[in-house]
Amino acid sequence: MRIGLIGAGRIGTFHATTLSRHREVGGSLIVTDADTARAQELADRLGATAAPSVDEIFTWGVDAVVITAATSAHAELIGRAARSGLPVFCEKPIALDLPGTLAALAEVDAAGTVLQLGFQRRFDAGYTAAREAVRSGRLGRLHTVRAMTSDQSPPPAGYLPLSGGLYRDCLIHDFDMLRWVTGREVVEVYATGSDAGPAMFRDARDIDTAAAVLTLDDGTLATATATRLNGAGYDVRMELAGELDQIAVGLDDRTPIASTEPAGPPAADKPWTGFLERFAPAYEAELAAFVDLVRGERTNPCDGREALHALRIAEACELSRHERRMVRLAEIPGGRD
């Protein structure tokens, strides 16, 4: 299978490495990047082919496209792949706003092609087990969900104005997991945030820490928090509490948290430091799923509409934070017909 990968940055390099090892792809991988030297170096290292530009990805006869380019290019590239009749895997988000997202989805729908979004937590063993526990009834009636994503250190200052903000860039994964694990929809949110950390967040009109209270359509209450400044380590968890039992995702010997109890567990010797380390197996599994999808051997594990629903929750949180009020998801365009 010949796959064209667009974008040779950090996540692009990881995905290219994964694909180069796949038995169905191997030496048939083509990579390109705005930095041609970076693409050539990556191709040489992996035994792949470097394309001079994006144009060659669409003229050299690939079977599918993987998009790991800058976020601002996602929607245009998705549309180009759709018009070329090619299945596409794209790192989240589709676009940084709803109009761009809806336009790209319309192109995919019109072309009748396949779009898989990169919400890798759907392939994480812990989240998968939590989903099974909820769906099996093991927890009884679910009443409370607590989700969190905490980065050990902030991204470069130049990334912040391009990221879409903490809700769209970071917490969107938690919003996707909230829907995927529980099988319920968010109906209203109340969100707030703080920019009291480094000045670069204020300069980018972003926040470094956020919190949201979300109500699901069956009355379950959820909280979602995030920060860019968790010096102890990279911490991603979800706790689900029901009338019969309570479980936690992301609680292991590398969770960067210390107990103050005399008999509590010790602090992690080697805490998680970042998302590629924490979710490496999940990232590999989602690319394997995409190859299977292109081969017609499985259904789409995360289509564009799923990404749209998570983005709408993030949009509702941004509106809530700015207007300091509860926001119903029905206020956000792009909902179910």
Side-chain angles (χ1 to χ4, degrees):
M1 180 184 298
R2 206 173 195 203
I3 290 182
L5 183 141
I6 305 170
R10 180 169 55 166
I11 190 64
T13 296
F14 187 96
H15 285 336
T17 302
T18 298
L19 289 168
S20 71
R21 295 170 179 167
H22 196 288
R23 66 184 184 278
E24 298 293 341
V25 182
S28 299
L29 180 66
I30 302 170
V31 299
T32 192
D33 190 88
D35 183 339
T36 55
R38 182 165 69 173
Q40 187 65 60
E41 187 278 329
L42 179 61
D44 291 343
R45 179 153 48 89
L46 299 178
T49 300
S53 72
V54 170
D55 291 340
E56 284 75 20
I57 295 294
F58 295 99
T59 59
W60 284 3
V62 299
D63 299 302
V65 175
V66 171
I67 299 171
T68 56
T71 298
S72 59
H74 287 188
E76 178 186 353
L77 291 171
I78 289 170
R80 190 167 181 181
R83 294 189 297 274
S84 300
L86 292 171
V88 61
F89 173 94
C90 184
E91 273 301 322
K92 64 83 189 168
I94 294 173
L96 289 178
D97 57 24
L98 280 170
T101 299
L102 293 169
L105 290 176
E107 290 218 62
V108 172
D109 289 344
T113 53
V114 170
L115 169 63
Q116 180 184 330
L117 260 292
F119 280 106
Q120 87 285 350
R121 295 186 194 181
R122 292 181 176 224
F123 297 88
D124 177 73
Y127 281 106
T128 299
R131 186 176 195 261
E132 292 170 354
V134 171
R135 305 300 180 90
S136 70
R138 170 186 156 189
L139 306 185
R141 184 187 69 83
L142 193 65
H143 54 74
T144 307
V145 182
R146 294 175 286 271
M148 64 179 292
T149 294
S150 300
D151 291 332
Q152 184 176 31
S153 55
Y159 173 77
L160 293 176
L162 309 174
S163 71
L166 193 56
Y167 294 109
R168 299 185 190 95
D169 181 57
C170 185
L171 273 171
I172 196 166
H173 284 287
D174 297 276
F175 301 150
D176 181 61
M177 282 299 93
L178 185 58
R179 297 181 61 251
W180 189 74
V181 170
T182 67
R184 314 304 307 191
E185 297 294 342
V186 174
V187 295
E188 62 185 35
V189 307
Y190 186 86
T192 188
S194 170
D195 62 1
M200 65 180 184
F201 291 98
R202 293 184 292 279
D203 294 341
R205 303 182 67 182
D206 196 5
I207 51 177
D208 56 70
T209 304
V213 178
L214 309 100
T215 303
L216 308 190
D217 57 12
D218 64 346
T220 300
L221 297 180
T223 59
T225 62
T227 185
R228 301 287 199 185
L229 304 166
N230 197 59
Y234 180 71
D235 193 1
V236 171
R237 279 179 280 147
M238 174 180 271
E239 300 171 358
L240 300 109
E243 293 182 346
L244 300 180
D245 203 357
Q246 180 172 230
I247 57 175
V249 178
L251 188 60
D252 59 21
D253 61 0
R254 298 192 65 182
T255 304
I257 189 169
S259 173
T260 60
E261 300 298 330
D269 290 331
K270 188 181 179 183
W272 299 109
T273 58
F275 62 91
L276 283 178
E277 181 188 34
R278 166 68 176 82
F279 289 111
Y283 278 115
E284 293 169 358
E286 73 175 354
L287 264 295
F290 178 63
V291 173
D292 289 344
L293 176 62
V294 175
R295 288 170 55 83
E297 296 175 352
R298 69 165 296 160
T299 57
N300 195 338
C302 186
D303 67 23
R305 294 289 165 185
E306 294 295 290
L308 172 63
H309 296 315
L311 177 59
R312 291 180 66 246
I313 299 170
E315 293 286 333
C317 287
E318 283 288 7
L319 182 61
S320 175
R321 178 174 75 89
H322 284 292
E323 297 191 357
R324 297 181 177 272
R325 66 176 178 89
M326 183 273 287
V327 173
R328 294 191 61 80
L329 263 291
E331 298 178 48
I332 308 300
R336 296 186 189 276
D337 295 332

